[in-house]
Amino acid sequence: MLSDTVLRNTINIFITNLQRKQIKGAYHIGRACADIMRTIVSSMTKKDTVQQVIDQCRLVAVMLKQAQPTMFVIGNVVRRVLYIIRDEYAQSNSGTQQTVSADSLHQPNLANLLEAKAELDYTKPVEGDFKANILSEIKELISELDNMNEGISEVAIEHVHSNEVILTIGQSHTVEHFLKVAAEKKKKFEVVVTEHAPSYSGHELVKSLSEKGISATLISDAAAFAIMSRVNKVIVGTHSVMANGGLIAPSGTHLVALAAKKKSVPFVVCCGLYKLTPMYPLDQDSFNDLCNPSEVIPPELYNLKDAHVLNPCYDYVPPELIDLFIMNETGTHNPQYIYRVLAEYYDTRDYDLGVYQD
Amino acid sequence: MTKEERKALYSKQVDNKKTSGNTPHVPSTGQQPRKQSIKSDQAPTPSVAQTKNQEAKQQPSKHQDGKQQQPKLQNQKQLGQKNKVEPTESTKQNRLFSHLDKYVHPDNRINTAINDPKLHPIIVQLGLQYATGAIRGGNARTLALLIALKQVTSDYVQLDTEIMNRDFGNKIVPMIDYLKQFRPLSVGMGNALRHIKQKIFKLNPDLSANENKNKLVEDIDIFIKERITVAAEQIVNNGVARITNGDVIMTYARSEVIEKILTRAHCDGGKRFRVIIVDSRPKNEGRELLNRLLIAGVDCTYVYINAVSHVMKEVTKVMIGANSMLSNGSVYSRIGTAPVCMMANSYNVPVLVCCETYKFSEGTQLDSITRNELGDPHEMCTIERNHMKPVLMGHESNPNIHVLNLTYDVTDMQFVDMVITEVGSIPPTSVAVIVREYRQK
Amino acid sequence: MKKEELTNLVKDVVRDNQDMSLSFVAITVLTDVIKRSTSKTMMELDTELKLAVQDLKSCVKEEIEGTDTYRGSSITLHSGCELFTRFVTRQFLEMKEFGAIKSKLTEKGQYISKLSALSREKVTELFEPFFRDNMCVMVVGNSRVATATLIRASRSGKRFSVIIPESRPDVEGYKSARHLRDAGIPVTLIVDSAVAYHMGKVDFVLSGAEAVVESGGIINKIGTYQIAVLAHVHKKSFYVAAESFKFVRQYPLNQNDISGDDHYEHINPPPYTFIDDGQIKDGHDVSDEQERRQLGGIKVSNPTSDFTPPRYITLLFTDLGILTPSAISDELIKLYS
């Protein structure tokens, strides 16, 4: 257990960077989070109970989430770690080494509905190996995060064939990595990239792909519908995947997804497992954020300063527009299967990590 | 086209340029210029010699001198072809769009035109205005064309040996061909021209030249008045009537007719509504509309097209203009219109298209690729955000990078709820009916 | 246990627990049956239980149906019986000793009787974050769970309004509207035919369920299917609030599959009622003799339930969590494997 002061010192710098958005990118934030979790678990002594460790992890999650509420990977990584802890504890408690299926033990279930659920008591002291096991599992989790793109590329390669035209939105590092790997494997295909104003990340991607010998075409966001009849597949990344199989993705994705549906073009989403979030969005406003309006109209245009300018960061894409998910650990599956992946990697008790009380 | 073939073509073109020097190459066979006006009279075949070319260039005679036809026609032929010899624009083509004409910078075309006796100076000026975008938008371009034609008509001198209705018709052909180089004719322009040509053909050869000229100028004026000016008025009135208090109206890029509707409804109609302007790169035409609406005092919100799904839930109507309406009920309009209409349709928001009947076309198009216009790739590469480097500058040298700047797209009929024209509000299915009616007139 | 004893027991349970779902009435009664049973072996107990289930179903049909508290559908009853039978069977398999089973079951009795209310609590809790201020909700029929959800959200401070179709012919929607009005929620009552008209202003539709089937679809009061289809066309979400004991292992494909089967037969469809001067009148009270005679010769089809396929359902809120329709099958597989 880390003392309060030590804990705060560890995460203070991270919190400040989060608040100022100086640390960007889901991977970096998730990784940093996993490191903090590892620190907490490492500091666990014989006197500490598992409940205390769980509580401390949840507290850290809440504090970090407050710094950047739309960064779901923070909560997700913490939930993964908590699941590891609970699973390990349940195994060591039940005595047997059977692979305890997540559902029958922790999750509420139709089968055990009529039995009064016996809650696991996390305040009992733990055996020797417990901490070591957990640390090794966290290490695996971290290596999973580090090698996420490789895992996805391996699976996604099968879905690209020769002479295909692939459309992507802006620059997703996962998709970029996957396309380069596909090109190395001598697949011949063309990529069309929407420039994704006002971030213009599409330009970077086109340049980067061309350097690897991939034929890349830049189009404006408005042309995505016009070109859709010539596209074979749409492959995009996302900010996060929600519990109903929908996406919170960079703004403009909903438009492309709808166009793909109208033209019957498969819409494929590639992302790491750590982006899977056990929350349900209602509509376009759920979990959304507004970006800087001067990216849309530069402040030099004085005559337009009285206009009301909107620049939303994210779009909600409903699950019926998505055809396939490609994730690193779980392979490919459709949006209707997401609930199952959730149940296998997160514990329902951790869905709600709590509100920060100062 | 593989890389090797492309390289061979490129080197051949470079060689061509070296051998021909500054005199443009004239083919000995009757190779027609790529774009011909639809009902062009038969162009006389070039009986060619390159020496004659040199002569022609040195004579800055006015176009009225009919005897200078042949050599000038050769000049015309040169201008009619694509300038394949210029390597400044990339010769690589995205294979999807190889059937569309490549974008060529206007400077490359203007050089030989200035002293061409076949072209009235006002036409030369018009071509430049089209190319640089100084005159932009369906109505503006058509109006400018018709006004220029009126001037050309007034300046026409009929020779004794010629009959006006045939001779004048022939004289107009090279001018139109010249204009087409800069930007393809829009459907509206095509329809107007066809109308004018019919009028020319029906000119009575027994009347004097002046009387014919006056009649023609009058005909052009009537067309402008009926089909463009008054039609626009009607549409504006119709459109204003469709706006109710409390409306949130979404529009895309900049349509002249929509601008008029919104300002009129706000200032004269006294209606309370607000406007959401959706815009996109690279042209950012919506900013001009935003500016004018702000001056008029309309409550405006401005977004880029990526934010459309976010704002759509507040919208009560979508109103857009069109470049033309196709016979199958589809709308041919600025690129980006189709996704906006599609999104509106998915939110059950009605889509209203405002379009004059002179822009109705007999043709149809199933998707946006069959016929389109490619714009300047350079526009796409420039980024207006100060701290970001435009990484794609100089992309011409990289064979793997293509930049596509489409100008138009086709919006399917199912996304359109109503078309407002000067003859009233019609469902998109009735566009073909209107086309038939006007054809019979 | 004899039939009369059972009947009295059922009536007692119903009287003492007005708010309890029919499933749980069944479970409570059956627990009692086991408690009072004099069997000495597992086979005997098993037979007794089967008999009790049959008696229970017929007794409910005769005595309870048509009263104000319970509508004419036995499917909830059926799912409750199924659940309990499964539970007992599993106990049989796990515990080899007979005497232990009885004592365990009697222990559970208390817990089980509270479970009905507990499950409903959990469902209403899950739904709270989905309410936002100034929303307009459409409610289908008279579901206790749906009403409880709305009341809870209103108590936690959310401001919203409700539109209820009156749900003919037994005007259940009207009864529901009264509950909500009493809780201080602004309610609008509309005729069933006006649902499409009002669908534009609705934010989402909330429904209860009599049963949740294997595909993730639901069986509910007649009219639910058409409201779900309309919501789908207008791109509005259709949420279902249902406790997990309503899951049944049936797989209907269309409306025909839910009738004609022993479990779902429509028991004594209620007579043709209408509202006159604020009073609910029975079809038999039609004062105009002529009018009554004219109805004769015209067939009346009056099914009480319909089946809503899963593609029109956005999410199901159960005490097991928020589930997408595809997750229902998973749960049922776990139960029966």
Side-chain angles (χ1 to χ4, degrees), chain A residues 190 195 197-200 203-204 207 210 213-218 220 222 225 230 251-252 254-255 284-285 288 296-297 303 308-310 312 315, chain B residues 94-95 252 280-281 287 291 300-303 306-307 309-311 313 335-336 338 342-343 346-347 367-368 380 383 385 388 391 398 400-402 404:
Chain A
E190 265 180 56
E195 65 172 354
S199 73
Y200 303 108
H203 292 235
E204 280 290 344
K207 181 128 194 207
S210 68
I214 303 174
S215 168
T217 307
L218 182 77
S220 73
F225 188 85
R230 294 293 192 275
S251 177
H254 188 201
L255 207 57
Q284 294 295 331
D285 281 329
N288 211 335
V296 175
I297 294 191
N303 54 337
H308 181 214
V309 177
L310 265 182
D315 263 352
Chain B
N94 187 321
R95 65 178 174 93
Y252 181 77
S280 81
R281 282 248 306 153
R287 286 187 189 167
N291 189 19
C300 296
T301 306
Y302 179 88
V303 292
N306 56 317
S309 53
H310 189 254
V311 292
K313 63 178 184 300
I335 189 137
M342 173 192 69
M343 186 61 78
S346 82
Y347 276 78
D367 61 25
S368 314
M380 285 285 290
I383 303 178
R385 286 180 61 186
M388 286 185 71
V391 290
N398 188 336
N400 287 326
I401 300 183
H402 306 270
L404 199 57

Coordinates of all heavy atoms in Angstrom, one line a residue, chain A residues 190 195 197-200 203-204 207 210 213-218 220 222 225 230 251-252 254-255 284-285 288 296-297 303 308-310 312 315, chain B residues 94-95 252 280-281 287 291 300-303 306-307 309-311 313 335-336 338 342-343 346-347 367-368 380 383 385 388 391 398 400-402 404:
Chain A
E190 N -4.6 0.1 -52.8 CA -4.5 1.6 -52.8 C -5.3 2.1 -51.6 O -6.2 1.5 -51.2 CB -5.3 2.1 -54.0 CG -4.5 2.4 -55.2 CD -5.4 2.9 -56.4 OE1 -6.1 3.9 -56.1 OE2 -5.3 2.3 -57.4
E195 N -8.8 13.9 -45.4 CA -7.8 14.7 -44.7 C -8.2 15.0 -43.2 O -7.3 15.4 -42.4 CB -7.6 16.0 -45.5 CG -8.8 16.9 -45.5 CD -8.5 18.2 -46.1 OE1 -7.3 18.5 -46.4 OE2 -9.4 19.0 -46.3
A197 N -10.2 17.5 -41.8 CA -10.2 18.8 -41.2 C -10.9 18.9 -39.9 O -11.9 18.1 -39.8 CB -10.8 19.8 -42.3
P198 N -10.7 19.7 -39.0 CA -9.6 20.6 -39.0 C -8.3 20.1 -38.3 O -7.4 20.9 -38.0 CB -10.1 21.8 -38.1 CG -11.1 21.1 -37.2 CD -11.6 19.9 -37.9
S199 N -8.1 18.8 -38.2 CA -6.8 18.4 -37.6 C -5.8 18.1 -38.8 O -4.6 18.1 -38.5 CB -7.0 17.1 -36.8 OG -7.3 16.0 -37.6
Y200 N -6.4 17.9 -40.0 CA -5.5 17.6 -41.2 C -4.5 16.4 -41.0 O -3.5 16.4 -41.6 CB -4.7 18.9 -41.6 CG -5.6 20.0 -41.8 CD1 -5.7 21.1 -41.0 CD2 -6.4 20.0 -43.0 CE1 -6.5 22.2 -41.2 CE2 -7.3 21.1 -43.2 CZ -7.3 22.2 -42.3 OH -8.2 23.2 -42.5
H203 N -3.1 14.3 -44.1 CA -1.9 14.7 -44.9 C -0.7 13.9 -44.4 O 0.1 13.4 -45.2 CB -1.6 16.2 -44.7 CG -2.7 17.0 -45.4 ND1 -2.4 18.0 -46.3 CD2 -4.0 17.1 -45.2 CE1 -3.5 18.6 -46.7 NE2 -4.5 18.1 -46.0
E204 N -0.5 13.8 -43.1 CA 0.6 13.1 -42.5 C 0.6 11.7 -43.0 O 1.6 11.1 -43.4 CB 0.5 13.1 -41.0 CG 1.0 14.4 -40.4 CD 2.5 14.6 -40.5 OE1 3.2 13.6 -40.8 OE2 3.0 15.7 -40.3
K207 N 1.6 11.1 -46.6 CA 3.0 11.2 -46.8 C 3.7 9.9 -46.3 O 4.6 9.4 -46.9 CB 3.5 12.4 -46.0 CG 5.0 12.6 -46.2 CD 5.2 14.0 -46.6 CE 6.7 14.1 -47.0 NZ 7.3 15.3 -46.9
S210 N 3.2 6.9 -48.5 CA 3.8 7.0 -49.8 C 5.3 6.6 -49.6 O 5.9 6.1 -50.5 CB 3.7 8.3 -50.4 OG 4.4 9.3 -49.6
G213 N 6.0 3.2 -50.2 CA 5.6 2.6 -51.5 C 4.1 2.3 -51.7 O 3.7 1.7 -52.6
I214 N 3.3 2.7 -50.7 CA 1.8 2.5 -50.9 C 1.2 3.7 -51.6 O 1.5 4.8 -51.3 CB 1.2 2.4 -49.5 CG1 1.8 1.3 -48.7 CG2 -0.3 2.1 -49.6 CD1 1.3 1.2 -47.3
S215 N 0.4 3.3 -52.6 CA -0.2 4.4 -53.4 C -1.4 5.0 -52.6 O -2.3 4.4 -52.2 CB -0.8 3.8 -54.7 OG -1.6 4.7 -55.3
A216 N -1.2 6.3 -52.2 CA -2.2 6.9 -51.3 C -2.8 8.2 -52.0 O -2.1 8.9 -52.6 CB -1.5 7.3 -50.0
T217 N -4.1 8.3 -51.8 CA -4.8 9.5 -52.4 C -5.4 10.3 -51.3 O -6.1 9.7 -50.4 CB -5.9 9.0 -53.4 OG1 -5.3 8.1 -54.3 CG2 -6.5 10.2 -54.1
L218 N -5.2 11.6 -51.3 CA -5.8 12.4 -50.3 C -7.1 13.0 -50.9 O -7.1 13.5 -52.0 CB -4.9 13.6 -50.0 CG -5.4 14.5 -48.9 CD1 -5.2 13.9 -47.5 CD2 -4.6 15.8 -48.9
S220 N -10.8 15.4 -49.7 CA -11.4 16.1 -48.6 C -12.5 15.3 -47.9 O -13.0 14.4 -48.5 CB -12.0 17.5 -49.1 OG -13.2 17.2 -49.8
A222 N -15.5 16.0 -47.5 CA -16.8 16.1 -48.2 C -16.8 15.1 -49.3 O -17.9 14.7 -49.8 CB -16.9 17.5 -48.8
F225 N -18.4 10.5 -49.5 CA -19.5 9.9 -50.1 C -19.4 9.7 -51.6 O -19.8 8.6 -52.1 CB -20.8 10.8 -49.8 CG -22.1 10.1 -50.1 CD1 -22.7 9.3 -49.3 CD2 -22.6 10.4 -51.4 CE1 -23.9 8.7 -49.6 CE2 -23.8 9.8 -51.7 CZ -24.5 9.0 -50.8
R230 N -16.5 3.5 -55.2 CA -15.3 2.9 -55.8 C -14.5 2.2 -54.7 O -13.4 1.7 -55.0 CB -14.4 3.9 -56.5 CG -15.1 4.4 -57.7 CD -15.2 3.4 -58.8 NE -15.6 3.9 -60.1 CZ -16.8 4.3 -60.4 NH1 -17.8 4.1 -59.6 NH2 -17.0 4.8 -61.6
S251 N -14.5 13.0 -34.9 CA -15.7 13.6 -35.6 C -15.6 13.4 -37.1 O -14.5 13.7 -37.7 CB -15.6 15.1 -35.2 OG -16.6 15.8 -35.9
G252 N -16.7 13.0 -37.7 CA -16.7 12.8 -39.1 C -16.8 11.3 -39.4 O -17.1 10.9 -40.6
H254 N -19.0 9.2 -38.2 CA -20.4 8.8 -38.4 C -20.9 9.0 -39.8 O -21.6 8.2 -40.4 CB -21.3 9.6 -37.4 CG -22.7 9.2 -37.4 ND1 -23.8 10.0 -37.0 CD2 -23.3 8.0 -37.8 CE1 -24.9 9.3 -37.1 NE2 -24.7 8.1 -37.6
L255 N -20.4 10.1 -40.4 CA -20.8 10.4 -41.8 C -20.3 9.4 -42.7 O -21.0 8.8 -43.6 CB -20.1 11.8 -42.2 CG -20.7 12.6 -43.2 CD1 -22.1 13.0 -42.9 CD2 -19.9 13.9 -43.4
Q284 N -25.4 11.8 -29.8 CA -24.2 12.4 -30.2 C -23.5 13.2 -29.0 O -22.3 13.5 -29.1 CB -24.4 13.4 -31.3 CG -24.8 12.7 -32.6 CD -23.7 11.8 -33.1 OE1 -22.5 12.0 -32.9 NE2 -24.1 10.7 -33.8
D285 N -24.3 13.6 -28.0 CA -23.7 14.4 -27.0 C -23.1 13.6 -25.9 O -22.3 14.2 -25.1 CB -24.8 15.3 -26.4 CG -25.2 16.5 -27.2 OD1 -24.2 17.0 -27.9 OD2 -26.3 16.9 -27.2
N288 N -19.0 13.5 -25.2 CA -18.4 14.3 -26.2 C -17.7 15.5 -25.6 O -17.8 15.9 -24.4 CB -19.4 14.8 -27.2 CG -18.8 14.9 -28.6 OD1 -17.6 15.1 -28.7 ND2 -19.6 14.8 -29.6
V296 N -11.3 26.0 -36.9 CA -12.3 26.0 -38.0 C -12.2 27.3 -38.7 O -12.1 27.4 -39.9 CB -13.7 25.7 -37.5 CG1 -14.7 25.8 -38.6 CG2 -13.7 24.3 -36.9
I297 N -12.4 28.4 -38.0 CA -12.2 29.7 -38.5 C -11.1 30.4 -37.8 O -11.1 30.6 -36.6 CB -13.5 30.6 -38.3 CG1 -14.6 30.0 -39.1 CG2 -13.2 32.0 -38.8 CD1 -15.8 30.9 -39.2
N303 N -14.0 39.7 -39.6 CA -15.4 39.9 -39.9 C -16.3 38.8 -39.5 O -17.5 38.9 -39.5 CB -15.5 40.2 -41.4 CG -14.9 39.1 -42.2 OD1 -14.0 38.3 -41.7 ND2 -15.3 38.9 -43.5
H308 N -21.1 31.9 -34.4 CA -21.0 30.8 -33.4 C -20.4 29.6 -34.1 O -21.0 29.0 -35.0 CB -22.4 30.5 -32.9 CG -22.5 29.5 -31.9 ND1 -23.5 28.6 -31.8 CD2 -21.7 29.2 -30.9 CE1 -23.3 27.8 -30.8 NE2 -22.2 28.1 -30.2
V309 N -19.2 29.2 -33.7 CA -18.5 28.1 -34.3 C -18.4 26.9 -33.5 O -18.1 27.0 -32.3 CB -17.0 28.6 -34.7 CG1 -16.3 27.4 -35.3 CG2 -17.1 29.8 -35.6
L310 N -18.8 25.8 -34.0 CA -18.7 24.5 -33.3 C -17.7 23.6 -33.8 O -17.6 23.4 -35.1 CB -20.1 23.8 -33.4 CG -21.1 24.0 -32.3 CD1 -22.3 23.2 -32.7 CD2 -20.6 23.6 -31.0
P312 N -16.9 19.9 -32.6 CA -16.9 18.8 -31.7 C -15.7 17.8 -31.9 O -15.3 17.7 -33.1 CB -18.2 18.1 -32.0 CG -18.5 18.5 -33.4 CD -17.9 19.8 -33.6
D315 N -17.6 11.8 -32.5 CA -18.9 11.4 -33.0 C -19.3 10.1 -32.3 O -18.4 9.2 -32.0 CB -18.8 11.0 -34.5 CG -19.1 12.1 -35.4 OD1 -19.6 13.1 -34.9 OD2 -18.9 11.9 -36.6
Chain B
N94 N -4.6 9.3 -60.9 CA -5.3 8.2 -60.2 C -6.2 7.4 -61.1 O -7.0 8.0 -61.8 CB -6.1 8.8 -59.1 CG -6.7 7.8 -58.1 OD1 -7.0 6.7 -58.5 ND2 -6.7 8.1 -56.8
R95 N -6.0 6.1 -61.1 CA -6.7 5.3 -62.2 C -8.2 5.5 -62.1 O -8.9 5.3 -63.0 CB -6.3 3.9 -62.1 CG -6.7 3.2 -60.8 CD -6.3 1.7 -60.8 NE -6.6 1.2 -59.5 CZ -7.8 0.6 -59.2 NH1 -8.7 0.4 -60.2 NH2 -8.0 0.1 -58.0
Y252 N -25.5 24.3 -47.1 CA -24.2 23.8 -47.4 C -23.5 24.7 -48.3 O -24.0 25.1 -49.3 CB -24.2 22.4 -47.9 CG -22.8 21.8 -48.2 CD1 -22.0 21.4 -47.1 CD2 -22.3 21.8 -49.5 CE1 -20.8 20.9 -47.3 CE2 -21.0 21.3 -49.7 CZ -20.3 20.9 -48.6 OH -19.0 20.4 -48.8
S280 N -16.8 23.1 -46.2 CA -15.7 22.1 -46.2 C -14.6 22.7 -47.0 O -14.7 23.6 -47.7 CB -16.2 20.8 -46.9 OG -16.2 21.0 -48.3
R281 N -13.5 22.0 -46.8 CA -12.3 22.3 -47.5 C -12.4 21.8 -48.9 O -13.2 20.9 -49.2 CB -11.1 21.6 -46.8 CG -10.7 22.3 -45.5 CD -9.3 22.9 -45.7 NE -8.4 21.9 -46.1 CZ -7.3 22.1 -46.8 NH1 -7.0 23.3 -47.2 NH2 -6.5 21.1 -47.1
R287 N -17.8 30.5 -46.0 CA -17.4 31.7 -45.2 C -17.9 33.0 -45.8 O -18.3 33.9 -45.0 CB -15.8 31.8 -45.2 CG -15.3 30.7 -44.3 CD -13.8 30.9 -44.1 NE -13.3 29.8 -43.3 CZ -12.0 29.5 -43.2 NH1 -11.1 30.3 -43.8 NH2 -11.6 28.4 -42.6
N291 N -20.3 35.5 -43.9 CA -20.1 37.0 -43.8 C -21.3 37.8 -44.1 O -21.7 38.7 -43.4 CB -18.9 37.3 -44.8 CG -18.4 38.7 -44.6 OD1 -18.7 39.3 -43.6 ND2 -17.8 39.2 -45.6
C300 N -26.2 33.0 -36.9 CA -25.5 31.9 -37.7 C -24.6 31.0 -36.8 O -23.9 31.5 -35.9 CB -24.6 32.5 -38.8 SG -25.5 33.4 -40.0
T301 N -24.6 29.8 -37.2 CA -23.6 28.8 -36.6 C -22.8 28.3 -37.8 O -23.3 28.0 -38.8 CB -24.3 27.7 -35.9 OG1 -25.2 28.2 -34.9 CG2 -23.2 26.8 -35.2
Y302 N -21.5 28.1 -37.6 CA -20.6 27.7 -38.7 C -19.9 26.4 -38.3 O -19.3 26.4 -37.2 CB -19.6 28.8 -39.1 CG -18.7 28.4 -40.2 CD1 -19.0 28.7 -41.5 CD2 -17.4 27.9 -39.9 CE1 -18.1 28.4 -42.5 CE2 -16.5 27.6 -40.9 CZ -16.9 27.9 -42.2 OH -16.0 27.6 -43.2
V303 N -20.0 25.4 -39.1 CA -19.3 24.1 -38.7 C -18.7 23.6 -40.0 O -19.1 23.9 -41.1 CB -20.2 23.0 -38.2 CG1 -20.8 23.4 -36.8 CG2 -21.4 22.7 -39.1
N306 N -17.4 17.6 -40.9 CA -17.3 16.5 -40.0 C -18.2 16.7 -38.8 O -18.5 15.7 -38.1 CB -15.8 16.4 -39.5 CG -15.3 17.7 -38.9 OD1 -15.5 18.8 -39.4 ND2 -14.6 17.6 -37.8
A307 N -18.7 17.9 -38.5 CA -19.6 18.1 -37.3 C -21.1 17.9 -37.7 O -21.9 18.1 -36.8 CB -19.3 19.5 -36.7
S309 N -23.1 15.4 -38.1 CA -24.0 14.5 -37.3 C -24.2 15.0 -35.9 O -25.2 14.7 -35.3 CB -23.3 13.1 -37.3 OG -22.0 13.2 -36.8
H310 N -23.3 15.9 -35.5 CA -23.4 16.4 -34.1 C -24.5 17.5 -34.1 O -25.3 17.6 -33.1 CB -22.1 17.0 -33.7 CG -22.0 17.5 -32.3 ND1 -22.1 18.8 -31.9 CD2 -22.0 16.7 -31.2 CE1 -22.0 18.8 -30.6 NE2 -22.0 17.6 -30.1
V311 N -24.6 18.3 -35.1 CA -25.6 19.4 -35.1 C -26.9 19.0 -35.7 O -27.9 19.7 -35.5 CB -25.1 20.7 -35.8 CG1 -24.0 21.3 -35.1 CG2 -24.7 20.3 -37.3
K313 N -29.3 17.1 -35.0 CA -30.5 16.8 -34.2 C -31.3 18.1 -34.0 O -32.5 18.1 -33.7 CB -30.2 16.2 -32.9 CG -29.3 17.0 -32.0 CD -29.1 16.3 -30.7 CE -28.3 17.1 -29.7 NZ -27.0 17.5 -30.1
I335 N -19.5 19.4 -54.1 CA -19.2 18.2 -53.3 C -19.4 18.4 -51.8 O -19.0 19.4 -51.3 CB -17.7 17.8 -53.6 CG1 -17.4 16.4 -53.0 CG2 -16.7 18.8 -53.1 CD1 -16.7 15.5 -53.9
G336 N -19.9 17.4 -51.2 CA -20.3 17.5 -49.8 C -21.8 17.6 -49.6 O -22.3 17.4 -48.5
A338 N -24.0 15.7 -50.9 CA -24.6 14.4 -50.8 C -24.5 13.8 -49.3 O -25.5 13.4 -48.8 CB -24.0 13.4 -51.8
M342 N -27.7 13.0 -47.0 CA -27.9 11.6 -46.4 C -28.1 11.6 -44.9 O -28.9 10.9 -44.4 CB -26.7 10.8 -46.8 CG -26.6 9.5 -46.2 SD -25.0 8.7 -46.4 CE -24.0 9.7 -45.4
M343 N -27.3 12.5 -44.3 CA -27.4 12.6 -42.8 C -28.7 13.2 -42.4 O -29.3 12.7 -41.4 CB -26.2 13.4 -42.3 CG -26.1 13.5 -40.8 SD -25.8 11.9 -40.0 CE -24.1 11.7 -40.4
S346 N -31.3 10.6 -42.6 CA -31.3 9.6 -41.5 C -31.8 10.1 -40.2 O -32.2 9.4 -39.3 CB -29.9 9.0 -41.3 OG -29.1 9.9 -40.5
Y347 N -31.9 11.5 -40.1 CA -32.5 12.1 -38.9 C -33.9 12.5 -39.2 O -34.5 13.3 -38.4 CB -31.7 13.3 -38.5 CG -30.5 13.0 -37.6 CD1 -29.3 12.5 -38.1 CD2 -30.5 13.2 -36.2 CE1 -28.2 12.2 -37.3 CE2 -29.5 13.0 -35.4 CZ -28.3 12.5 -36.0 OH -27.2 12.2 -35.2
D367 N -23.5 7.8 -60.3 CA -22.7 8.1 -59.1 C -21.8 9.3 -59.4 O -22.0 9.9 -60.5 CB -21.7 6.9 -58.8 CG -20.8 6.5 -59.9 OD1 -20.5 7.4 -60.8 OD2 -20.4 5.4 -60.0
S368 N -21.0 9.7 -58.5 CA -20.3 11.0 -58.6 C -19.1 10.9 -59.5 O -18.4 11.9 -59.7 CB -20.0 11.5 -57.2 OG -21.0 11.4 -56.4
M380 N -5.7 21.8 -52.1 CA -5.8 20.8 -51.1 C -4.6 20.7 -50.2 O -4.7 20.5 -49.0 CB -6.0 19.4 -51.7 CG -7.3 19.1 -52.3 SD -8.6 18.9 -51.1 CE -8.1 17.3 -50.4
I383 N -2.5 24.3 -46.0 CA -3.2 24.2 -44.8 C -3.2 25.6 -44.1 O -2.1 26.2 -44.0 CB -2.6 23.2 -43.8 CG1 -2.5 21.9 -44.5 CG2 -3.4 23.1 -42.5 CD1 -1.8 20.8 -43.6
R385 N -3.7 26.5 -41.0 CA -3.3 26.6 -39.6 C -1.9 26.9 -39.5 O -1.0 26.2 -40.1 CB -3.7 25.2 -38.9 CG -5.2 25.1 -38.8 CD -5.5 23.8 -38.1 NE -5.0 23.8 -36.8 CZ -5.1 22.7 -36.0 NH1 -5.7 21.6 -36.5 NH2 -4.5 22.6 -34.8
M388 N 1.1 24.5 -38.4 CA 1.2 23.2 -39.1 C 1.9 23.3 -40.4 O 1.5 24.2 -41.2 CB -0.2 22.6 -39.3 CG -0.8 22.1 -38.0 SD -2.3 21.2 -38.2 CE -1.8 19.7 -39.0
V391 N 2.6 19.3 -45.3 CA 3.5 18.3 -45.6 C 3.5 17.8 -47.0 O 4.4 17.1 -47.5 CB 3.3 17.1 -44.7 CG1 3.7 17.4 -43.3 CG2 1.9 16.6 -44.7
N398 N 6.4 12.8 -56.2 CA 6.3 11.5 -55.6 C 5.2 10.7 -56.3 O 4.0 11.1 -56.2 CB 5.9 11.6 -54.1 CG 5.9 10.3 -53.3 OD1 5.8 9.2 -53.9 ND2 6.2 10.4 -52.0
N400 N 3.7 8.0 -55.6 CA 2.7 7.3 -54.8 C 1.7 8.2 -54.2 O 0.7 7.8 -53.7 CB 3.4 6.6 -53.6 CG 4.2 5.4 -54.1 OD1 3.8 4.8 -55.0 ND2 5.3 5.2 -53.5
I401 N 1.9 9.5 -54.3 CA 0.9 10.5 -53.7 C 0.0 11.0 -54.8 O 0.5 11.5 -55.8 CB 1.6 11.6 -53.0 CG1 2.5 11.1 -51.9 CG2 0.6 12.6 -52.4 CD1 3.2 12.2 -51.1
H402 N -1.3 10.9 -54.5 CA -2.2 11.5 -55.4 C -3.1 12.4 -54.6 O -3.5 12.1 -53.5 CB -3.2 10.5 -56.1 CG -2.4 9.4 -56.8 ND1 -2.0 9.5 -58.1 CD2 -1.9 8.2 -56.3 CE1 -1.4 8.4 -58.4 NE2 -1.3 7.6 -57.4
L404 N -6.7 14.4 -54.7 CA -7.9 14.5 -55.5 C -8.8 15.7 -55.0 O -9.1 15.7 -53.8 CB -8.7 13.2 -55.3 CG -9.7 12.9 -56.3 CD1 -9.1 12.8 -57.6 CD2 -10.3 11.5 -55.9

